[in-house]
Amino acid sequence: MDALRQVEDWPAKAAAGGVLRDGEIQARRGPGDRVFRWASVTKLATTLAALVAAEEGIVDLDEPAGPPGSTVRHLLAHASGLPFDLGAPIAKPGQRRIYSNAGFEVLAEKVAEAAEMPFSDYLAGAVLEPLGLEAELRGSPASGIHGTLDDLLRLGAELQRPRLIAPETLAEATSVQFPGLVGVLPDVGRMDPNDWGLGFELRDAKSPHWTGTHNSPRTFGHFGGSGSFLWADPGPRVALACLGDLDFGPWALEAWPRLSDAVLTART
């Protein structure tokens, strides 16, 4: 796919990208085995671990977790009221969409306590190892995974053809949770509404956005401050994964939508 040649023109020193259709790799560009920092794309793997835990009965999505009045569902949907970093709540649960690394750290602690093991061990056993990922969590469950493009593509395949969780669970996780909440999409801007699923950021009608203008409103995924992203669009059944070594910035809000549109145009 010629569209992927675009990653070679990015200002990053190293970048890699790959396209999936129905869980199968269609094209790839750049080093597949180089380890990159995923940053907040980590949240997709942490989300899957929490959903596995919910299906196993280890946690319940609607049980208390985090600040008073908050649940596991609130934490996953960035609706618990916790701030970006650890600290006291700055809103009541369900009142605003406040993107929160702290919320995912509290979520991981909840899963770890219920599973009676460190979260890194649960993540490895529930997600990383079953998917054949060599990626590892080095720090926060909100931002600490380091892995390769090969790893990220395997994760993307899971989002298209789920094996770890039931399709119904993924469908719920990629539907709007606590509709109508206003909030800031980090480094992009204020969104009204700032729709989110259970751990998955939802494209909907957000503008501007880091995905393309050809992405359907049903597109879900996540991007990371390290210059990484993964989205899956159920309409054309296409997913795009990219990793790089240049932090997110204005360059990405120009390059990523352009690449996304080129990929989707090539598939139609």
Side-chain angles (χ1 to χ4, degrees), residues 44-231:
L44 297 181
T46 294
T47 290
L48 282 177
L51 295 176
V52 170
E55 287 196 343
E56 291 180 341
I58 294 172
V59 298
D60 187 292
L61 291 176
D62 295 310
E63 70 177 276
S70 173
T71 65
V72 171
R73 187 182 301 274
H74 285 95
L75 294 173
L76 280 164
H78 298 285
S80 70
L82 288 173
F84 181 82
D85 291 318
L86 289 174
I90 56 177
K92 295 180 180 179
Q95 185 180 73
R96 290 166 52 197
R97 191 85 63 194
I98 303 170
Y99 184 81
S100 178
N101 280 347
F104 265 69
E105 289 165 0
V106 172
L107 170 70
E109 291 172 1
K110 178 74 173 181
V111 173
E113 180 181 1
E116 299 182 338
M117 67 175 69
F119 180 75
S120 58
D121 291 347
Y122 189 83
L123 175 67
V127 177
L128 304 184
E129 292 171 2
L131 294 182
L133 275 61
E134 296 182 2
E136 62 179 358
L137 183 62
R138 305 176 187 173
S140 171
S143 60
I145 285 183
H146 290 64
T148 65
L149 176 65
D150 290 345
D151 291 325
L152 191 56
L153 287 170
R154 291 188 183 99
L155 183 62
E158 171 66 16
L159 301 185
Q160 293 193 297
R161 301 173 67 177
R163 296 183 294 116
L164 302 181
I165 58 175
E168 294 80 5
T169 299
L170 181 61
E172 179 181 3
T174 55
S175 64
V176 181
Q177 304 291 311
F178 309 104
L181 297 188
V182 176
V184 174
L185 184 59
D187 298 313
V188 178
R190 182 180 184 273
M191 300 291 166
D192 184 6
N194 189 19
D195 287 339
W196 223 277
L198 295 174
F200 295 96
E201 199 248 310
L202 307 180
R203 173 71 172 87
D204 275 358
K206 293 173 183 168
S207 180
H209 199 254
W210 55 275
T211 64
T213 58
H214 289 282
N215 280 91
S216 78
R218 296 174 59 201
T219 301
F220 60 90
H222 218 292
F223 79 89
S226 61
S228 57
F229 71 84
L230 170 62
W231 59 251

